[in-house]
Amino acid sequence: ERYHANHPKQPQGGWQNLARAAYAVEHALFKTSPIKHVHAIRAPVLYMGANKDSLCPMEAIKRAVALTPNAELYAADCDHFELFTPKHMPGLQQRQLQFLLQHVGAKAAGRGVQQE
């Protein structure tokens, strides 16, 4: 009863919200999806994923890689949450470091950043 005291069943002016709740999600996922813009990325991109990932399937990552002009892919043989465990973290970090040294390492070295 307290709820309806502040929110009448018939809103003032007869206005009714008839929009589907899923509209915002549909709009966010399909109208403004980042995949529609990856072709415009000019900087090097390292996509990282897990082959057994059900939350972000590898096929979606491979599609982004194919559409991104200067992209590389690191794929670990695990699921979404295993990617950041001690078993897979060293490989993940090593690949990130290689990528960074390859693409910004020489510039960083010129500014006094040590490289091994």
Side-chain angles (χ1 to χ4, degrees), residues 6-46:
N6 293 326
H7 304 83
K9 290 181 183 178
Q10 181 65 33
Q12 291 181 340
W15 180 86
Q16 293 181 16
N17 182 3
L18 299 176
R20 293 180 313 114
Y23 174 78
V25 172
E26 290 170 352
H27 180 74
L29 293 177
F30 301 111
K31 304 285 189 217
T32 60
S33 172
I35 196 72
K36 293 184 177 187
H37 305 283
V38 296
H39 70 278
I41 299 173
R42 298 294 172 240
V45 176
L46 175 61

Side-chain angles (χ1 to χ4, degrees), residues 44-84:
V45 176
L46 175 61
Y47 288 95
M48 306 188 94
N51 287 325
K52 300 173 186 172
D53 194 331
S54 59
L55 296 174
C56 186
M58 185 53 69
E59 290 308 313
I61 298 171
K62 286 181 178 178
R63 190 173 80 171
V65 170
L67 294 171
T68 307
N70 192 11
E72 299 175 33
L73 174 62
Y74 173 85
D77 192 30
C78 60
D79 69 25
H80 183 84
F81 298 102
E82 286 179 294
L83 190 59
F84 301 100

